[in-house]
C-alpha cells in the first residue's frame, strides 16, 4: 500500500523517521510521498527522498505560508523539479479555516503553483479547507479552488488531499478529472459526509494517505500519526465499497502510480 501524503520531517515524528522508514517492508508500505509547506520543509522532504528508496517528495508552499512565498521558495521548486524523486508540486491551495495568510495572497500564490505544475510537467497536490460559514468573508475555499482550476487547466492532473468536502464537491472534482484522497479523519464519527463521498467516488479515482503526524486514527487520537496507519483508511474504504482490502491496496497503489507518473517502484 501507499501513503500518498505524510510529513515525516515534522517535529512530532522526525526523530522516529528513520525507524518508521526502515519498517516500511514489515508494514506493507510500498512507498510514501512527503509534501512540503515552506522553504525549510522543502529541503527536508527533498533530502529524505534522496536518502531512501521508498520515499518520494513534492515541493510547494502551503497556503498557511503563502505570505512567505518568495524567489527562494520558487527557485527551489523549479530547480529541483527535474529530480527523479520529486513527483509533484504540493501541497498548495486554500485554507480559509486558519487564514494564516491573507486570502488575496493565497489566491496569488495558488496561481503561481498552477503555472509551475505545467512548467515543471508535474501533477498537483491540493490542500483545500473551507472556513466556518459566515465567520469570515471568504469561507468557500472549494469554490475558489474550482474557479482557479478551470482557469488554469493542468497537463498532469492532481489530487485533492485530505478531502473535507461532501458528495457534491466530490462530483465537481471528479468532473474536472481530479483524484480524491482521504485520511483517517474519514473514520471519525462526526464525518459521515466523508463516508458518503467515499461511497460515491469510483475506485479508480481514490487515493489513501495519513497526513502524518496529523489526522491520527479514531482510537489513537492523542498519538502522532504514522504511515502504517494508512491501513485504517483502506479498511474503511473496503467496508464502504464492499470489496476486499487487497483490491483497495492494489487499486489505490495503481492510482497513485498513474497520477505520480515519475514513480518507478
Ligand atoms: Zn494539507
Ligand atoms: Zn499535509
Amino acid at each position: 500500500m501507499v501513503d500518498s501524503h505524510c510529513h515525516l520531517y515534522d517535529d512530532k515524528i522526525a526523530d522516529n523517521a528513520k525507524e518508521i522508514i526502515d519498517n516500511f517492508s514489515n508494514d506493507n508500505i510500498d512507498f510514501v510521498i512527503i509534501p512540503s509547506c515552506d522553504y525549510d520543509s522543502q529541503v527536508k522532504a527533498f533530502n529524505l527522498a534522496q536518502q531512501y528508496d521508498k520515499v518520494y517528495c513534492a515541493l510547494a508552499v502551503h497556503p498557511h505560508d503563502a505570505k512567505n512565498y518568495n524567489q527562494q521558495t520558487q527557485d527551489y521548486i523549479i530547480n529541483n523539479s527535474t529530480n527523479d524523486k520529486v513527483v509533484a508540486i504540493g501541497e498548495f491551495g486554500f485554507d480559509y479555516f486558519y487564514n494564516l495568510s491573507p486570502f488575496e495572497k493565497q489566491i496569488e500564490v495558488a496561481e503561481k503553483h498552477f503555472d509551475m505544475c505545467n512548467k515543471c510537467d508535474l501533477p498537483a497536490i491540493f490542500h483545500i479547507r473551507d472556513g466556518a460559514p459566515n465567520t469570515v468573508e471568504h469561507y468557500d475555499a472549494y469554490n475558489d479552488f474550482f474557479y482557479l482550476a478551470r482557469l488554469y487547466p493542468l497537463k498532469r492532473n492532481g489530487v485533492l488531499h485530505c478531502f473535507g468536502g461532501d458528495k457534491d464537491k466530490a462530483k465537481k472534482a471528479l468532473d474536472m478529472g481530479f483524484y480524491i484522497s482521504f485520511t483517517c479523519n474519514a473514520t471519525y464519527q462526526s464525518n459521515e459526509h466523508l463516508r458518503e463521498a467515499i461511497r460515491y467516488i469510483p475506485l479508480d479515482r481514490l487515493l489513501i494517505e495519513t497526513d502524518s503526524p496529523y489526522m491520527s486514527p479514531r482510537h489513537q487520537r492523542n498519538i502522532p500519526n504514522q504511515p502504517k496507519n494508512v491501513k485504517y483508511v483502506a479498511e474503511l474504504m473496503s467496508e464502504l465499497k464492499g470489496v476486499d482490502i487487497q483490491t483497495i491496496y492494489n487499486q489505490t497503489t495503481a492510482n497513485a502510480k498513474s497520477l505520480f507518473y515519475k514513480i518507478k517502484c
Side-chain angles (χ1 to χ4, degrees):
M1 59 188 171
V2 169
D3 184 355
S4 65
H5 193 113
C6 53
H7 300 266
L8 287 180
Y9 52 75
D10 189 284
D11 285 348
K12 293 189 185 74
I13 47 170
D15 288 348
N16 301 326
K18 186 184 182 310
E19 194 191 333
I20 290 171
I21 296 166
D22 286 343
N23 270 321
F24 278 173
S25 301
N26 296 333
D27 293 334
N28 192 23
I29 300 280
D30 296 314
F31 60 86
V32 303
I33 297 166
I34 305 186
S36 50
C37 301
D38 58 7
Y39 182 75
D40 267 8
S41 60
Q42 286 174 359
V43 175
K44 287 176 183 167
F46 183 83
N47 288 344
L48 281 168
Q50 303 312 306
Q51 221 178 323
Y52 297 102
D53 281 353
K54 293 182 173 184
V55 174
Y56 293 84
C57 73
L59 301 177
V61 175
H62 194 284
H64 289 343
D65 263 283
K67 57 181 184 288
N68 299 323
Y69 184 93
N70 59 26
Q71 196 63 44
Q72 184 189 36
T73 48
Q74 178 170 302
D75 288 349
Y76 195 88
I77 297 168
I78 293 173
N79 294 340
N80 290 299
S81 63
T82 54
N83 185 279
D84 286 348
K85 301 302 284 293
V86 178
V87 298
I89 302 294
E91 60 184 293
F92 71 93
F94 310 92
D95 195 310
Y96 298 164
F97 189 81
Y98 289 109
N99 267 322
L100 298 184
S101 287
F103 115 94
E104 295 87 353
K105 199 73 200 170
Q106 294 192 38
I107 303 257
E108 180 196 320
V109 169
E111 283 179 313
K112 289 185 193 297
H113 282 87
F114 274 101
D115 190 44
M116 280 192 287
C117 288
N118 287 344
K119 255 193 203 123
C120 302
D121 199 29
L122 287 173
I125 298 172
F126 301 113
H127 171 107
I128 303 141
R129 187 164 183 195
D130 286 340
N134 306 318
T135 55
V136 280
E137 193 184 347
H138 294 276
Y139 61 85
D140 196 335
Y142 280 89
N143 198 41
D144 288 357
F145 164 69
F146 290 129
Y147 179 80
L148 270 205
R150 264 183 216 105
L151 218 53
Y152 301 100
L154 292 177
K155 282 195 289 185
R156 290 290 187 174
N157 208 347
V159 57
L160 282 68
H161 113 85
C162 193
F163 186 69
D166 54 12
K167 192 177 145 185
D168 290 345
K169 284 174 172 162
K171 183 183 184 317
K172 276 190 190 156
L174 291 172
D175 288 347
M176 297 181 77
F178 295 126
Y179 289 85
I180 301 179
S181 182
F182 289 87
T183 70
C184 290
N185 77 347
T187 66
Y188 301 172
Q189 201 166 7
S190 57
N191 285 340
E192 184 52 39
H193 64 292
L194 299 183
R195 293 186 282 279
E196 196 191 338
I198 292 174
R199 281 186 206 99
Y200 171 72
I201 299 166
L203 260 184
D204 64 358
R205 304 288 284 284
L206 284 167
L207 293 188
I208 54 176
E209 60 166 297
T210 59
D211 205 10
S212 297
Y214 309 104
M215 302 295 166
S216 297
R218 189 167 58 163
H219 52 290
Q220 313 175 359
R221 288 200 54 182
N222 49 353
I223 305 172
N225 203 0
Q226 56 167 297
K228 66 178 179 186
N229 291 332
V230 77
K231 69 176 179 219
Y232 296 117
V233 190
E235 273 173 22
L236 176 73
M237 280 181 186
S238 153
E239 214 181 288
L240 296 174
K241 296 300 222 182
V243 297
D244 60 86
I245 190 93
Q246 197 56 47
T247 304
I248 300 291
Y249 290 157
N250 293 347
Q251 185 68 55
T252 52
T253 301
N255 296 347
K257 283 182 168 179
S258 166
L259 174 63
F260 305 112
Y261 68 97
K262 281 168 75 178
I263 291 177
K264 304 270 184 281
C265 252

